[in-house]
Amino acid sequence: MTMNRRSFIKGSSAFAFSASIMGCSSSDDDDIIEEPPVVEPPIEVPPEESIPDGVYHTTCPRNCGDRCSLMVTTKDGIAVSITGDSTHPVTAGTPCVKGHSYLQSVYSPDRIQQPMKRVGARGPGATFEPITWEQANSEIAAKLNEIINSHGGNAIVPYSYSGYSGISAGTGANRFFNRIGGRNLQRNICASAGYSGMSSILGEFNGPSPEDYANTKCFVSWGTNEQATNIHHLKFINEARDNGAKVLVVNPARTPLASQADVWLQPTPGTDATLVVGISKILIEENLHDTAFISANTQDYDALVARLAEFTHEEIESETGVSKSEYQEFARAYAEAECAMIRIGYGLQRSLNGGRMVKAIPTIAALTGNIGKVGAGVVYLNVMSGGLFDWGYSGASHLTPEGAERGTVSINEIGKFLLPEDYQHENGLVGPISYGEPSDPIKAMIVYSSNPMAIAPNTDLIEKGLMRDDLFLVGIDLFQTDTMDYVDYLLPTSSYMEQSNLIDSYQCYYAKHSAKAIMPLYDSKPDTVIFNELAKAMGFDDAEFDESIDDILRNTWKGNISYDELLVQKWDSPIVDYPYRKDLIFPTTSGKIEFKDTSNKYFDSEKFNPVIDTGTPESNEYDDKGMTDAEKAREFRLLSPAHAKLSNSQWANVKYITGTFPQHTIYVHPTDAAAKGISDGDEVIVTASRYGNANAQIQYVARVEKMTPKGTVFIWKNGWKKLNENGSNTSVNQLTNCDLTDMNYGSTFHATRVDIALA
């Protein structure tokens, strides 16, 4: 069966609207390609295992806070169209461009179709031979049991993040690793520094629903690219603008919203806290602050005033690259609005000083009383809908063997804890490390719902571990990604359409059901089934490994409506006060907004200023969350944010996406390009100093454009090495930093400096 472009988009009148949003940057790289998508039929499904044709409500499980409600239409057991649910308040009838291309992903001829075993060397170009599920489970179980008997379950670690979310995505794996007593993985690659930064001043990181953006009179996008990461928020922002709201943007990168903003501040990366100092000084100097709100609802205002007095506007301008007149205009527009909303993005806190920058930003909301009223507040992350799930039941931690000693490693340090046991560190340590300390060696890793060789920092270091002869690797995926080239066994998972799920949004207040629309294609199986069957092959007879996905979902649900009602209604919401935090009682020690935090709960208040700390990776010493001297000597700061057509590394290989934007391109400011003799389209070598003073290099194509300030270069994140068009087999995360943030062990991708030269 084939589908032309007309039939693919039939029934989705909103497609053109979605595509126009995706193409709202000044670059024509965002145009949808004209080649019609082709949907190949799956293998025949026995009639007794078929699903009736119809229209099924599903939920996108990718790492996006929108978590769109998608309607999948099937015919003869094949998904033939996908549209947005027009009844859902956020999805409102259209998915993003990635959602529109789901059929290309689900029916891609590149999908892994049966279990495979590697028969050649590890790494790029690895070859595999097909085997049965019985052989795969038998051989994997035997090897894992051997490792457990010799080294304990703590020698086995999961690696997963962001590929496929929800209850059915993680339950089987969580139960399996609890049962074997496996190493714990701290999955804090996304937003953890910001959790602590927000909590340090407000006591929480939750905030108003994006639906309340429509009511604001001033929307601030701080370090966010809504086009790429939360496109459905744009309709609420546009509603506010239609009602007279101003839009303010703070971002070193030129996002589409920045190009449309009433005020756009483009600070030097890493200087956001200093910029907050400048804005706060203006608010107080020009009497734009709300003294009554401050008196009633904040603590240590005097300490804030004293801290601000330590800075001159001349120093702030020099540090941030933003003029006083620019941040003065921002401060006035924000303070003079009847109500103002700030949305803080996750990218800016992926830096060595990330927590401190996020901590500073709510200061301006507190100074102006923009909290606790309609259309006002500070939004970072909303996880309240997850409270409608029984995570304890889902994970079944009681399966953990009594007395099991389970260590914890950070997902951001995968390269460090997979190192060979004889690896010599500069500080005298030998072997794998975690959180700066020696770590028990990892003997096996199972990778699922992730592609670390594309999405994790410092992939050259990771490769040292993946090439170990004594490391047993199992991969579970839809595709043979960069990471899957290193595994011993490659197992085919099912797509999101091929299994039921429960999914919670982390921006909007919705928990949703996702129906199984088609049978698993080829010889693929859902992750939960894969782990259940592997557990049985290892000899585990626990009842949890006999539970079906549908039973798991039913028993995990604890929403305001019954599970049967959820199947009809499709989604439910937690009960949250509106406006958010209307009682102005905050979950801090004092119950107030705390300008000064000396609790030492979130960061070391002796090392960092407890009011606003303005240290940057370039200004701090290495032991105090600064870069090494070798890193500081590099000429340019590197930013590597998300692109609208990818979700991390997903969709990069999908026919409807690949080749439609420059995945392996580095954007260079015209002034910097001229100084380096670089012209548009030149092949360039980009070099960074990485862990152990190793040099990492990639070869990319230069594009001369004012995407960032002078002194900063820009690459779209998480490109696959094997898809690099110039054949150099290089990608951006060979360059990025794998050290941890100042708060909560987060990732530091954007604390990276590089040199660039003609190839």
Side-chain angles (χ1 to χ4, degrees), residues 234-276:
L234 288 172
K235 70 188 184 70
F236 299 122
I237 298 169
N238 286 333
E239 284 181 39
R241 174 174 271 170
D242 290 344
N243 292 324
K246 289 187 175 181
V247 173
L248 316 181
V249 172
V250 181
N251 205 312
R254 193 191 71 226
T255 66
L257 196 62
S259 298
Q260 305 167 20
D262 295 284
V263 180
W264 171 30
L265 305 184
Q266 192 179 30
T268 300
T271 64
D272 296 69
T274 303
L275 182 59
V276 170

Side-chain angles (χ1 to χ4, degrees), residues 130-315:
I131 57 175
T132 64
W133 276 108
E134 290 74 15
Q135 180 183 348
N137 285 328
S138 175
E139 294 179 5
I140 294 170
K143 184 62 177 179
L144 294 180
N145 276 327
E146 176 188 326
I147 291 171
I148 292 170
N149 291 335
S150 299
H151 305 282
N154 194 47
I156 303 171
V157 67
Y159 187 101
S160 68
Y161 196 84
S162 187
Y164 179 56
S165 304
I167 297 300
S168 69
T171 293
N174 293 338
R175 292 177 173 185
F176 177 83
F177 283 101
N178 282 333
R179 179 63 179 82
I180 67 173
R183 190 80 57 99
N184 291 304
L185 182 71
Q186 188 180 36
R187 295 173 174 86
N188 50 3
I189 198 168
C190 183
S192 63
Y195 298 161
S196 291
M198 285 281 287
S199 300
S200 174
I201 182 170
L202 298 177
E204 63 180 342
F205 51 80
N206 290 317
S209 167
E211 293 173 73
D212 199 26
Y213 297 174
N215 300 312
T216 194
K217 294 303 180 183
C218 180
F219 180 81
V220 179
S221 173
W222 199 307
T224 304
N225 182 3
E226 291 82 3
Q227 181 214 31
T229 57
N230 292 114
I231 193 168
H232 292 86
H233 291 195
L234 288 172
K235 70 188 184 70
F236 299 122
I237 298 169
N238 286 333
E239 284 181 39
R241 174 174 271 170
D242 290 344
N243 292 324
K246 289 187 175 181
V247 173
L248 316 181
V249 172
V250 181
N251 205 312
R254 193 191 71 226
T255 66
L257 196 62
S259 298
Q260 305 167 20
D262 295 284
V263 180
W264 171 30
L265 305 184
Q266 192 179 30
T268 300
T271 64
D272 296 69
T274 303
L275 182 59
V276 170
V277 170
I279 294 169
S280 299
K281 284 175 71 70
I282 295 294
L283 293 174
I284 295 174
E285 290 168 358
E286 299 190 4
N287 199 30
L288 298 172
H289 57 315
D290 187 334
T291 56
F293 183 92
I294 293 168
S295 176
N297 301 296
T298 73
Q299 181 172 282
D300 289 315
Y301 174 67
D302 291 345
L304 174 64
V305 172
R307 177 61 173 156
L308 299 180
E310 297 176 22
F311 299 82
T312 67
H313 287 294
E314 291 76 17
E315 291 169 336

Side-chain angles (χ1 to χ4, degrees), residues 61-83:
R62 306 303 170 185
N63 192 0
C64 169
D66 290 2
R67 296 280 163 83
C68 284
S69 288
L70 305 176
M71 308 305 293
V72 176
T73 300
T74 65
K75 183 177 181 181
D76 299 328
I78 298 173
V80 295
S81 74
I82 183 166
T83 63

Side-chain angles (χ1 to χ4, degrees), residues 252-417:
R254 193 191 71 226
T255 66
L257 196 62
S259 298
Q260 305 167 20
D262 295 284
V263 180
W264 171 30
L265 305 184
Q266 192 179 30
T268 300
T271 64
D272 296 69
T274 303
L275 182 59
V276 170
V277 170
I279 294 169
S280 299
K281 284 175 71 70
I282 295 294
L283 293 174
I284 295 174
E285 290 168 358
E286 299 190 4
N287 199 30
L288 298 172
H289 57 315
D290 187 334
T291 56
F293 183 92
I294 293 168
S295 176
N297 301 296
T298 73
Q299 181 172 282
D300 289 315
Y301 174 67
D302 291 345
L304 174 64
V305 172
R307 177 61 173 156
L308 299 180
E310 297 176 22
F311 299 82
T312 67
H313 287 294
E314 291 76 17
E315 291 169 336
I316 294 166
E317 289 178 310
S318 175
E319 177 74 10
T320 64
V322 179
S323 69
K324 177 184 176 182
S325 63
E326 289 175 313
Y327 63 76
Q328 184 179 49
E329 182 183 10
F330 179 101
R332 290 172 177 172
Y334 180 83
E336 291 169 359
E338 178 186 343
C339 53
M341 183 81 70
I342 301 175
R343 164 73 199 283
I344 303 175
Y346 312 136
L348 76 103
Q349 55 87 60
R350 293 173 191 153
S351 180
L352 292 163
N353 62 331
R356 286 170 282 162
M357 288 192 288
V358 172
K359 178 189 185 308
I361 295 169
T363 297
I364 66 174
L367 284 175
T368 56
N370 272 301
I371 295 179
K373 59 185 181 182
V374 173
V378 184
V379 181
Y380 184 66
L381 198 80
N382 291 327
V383 298
M384 293 84 90
S385 65
L388 303 182
F389 301 161
D390 185 343
W391 296 98
Y393 179 87
S394 170
S397 59
H398 64 273
L399 293 174
T400 304
E402 185 176 354
E405 296 184 6
R406 305 178 67 180
T408 300
V409 292
S410 168
I411 195 171
N412 300 308
E413 294 190 307
I414 174 179
K416 296 180 181 180
F417 68 75

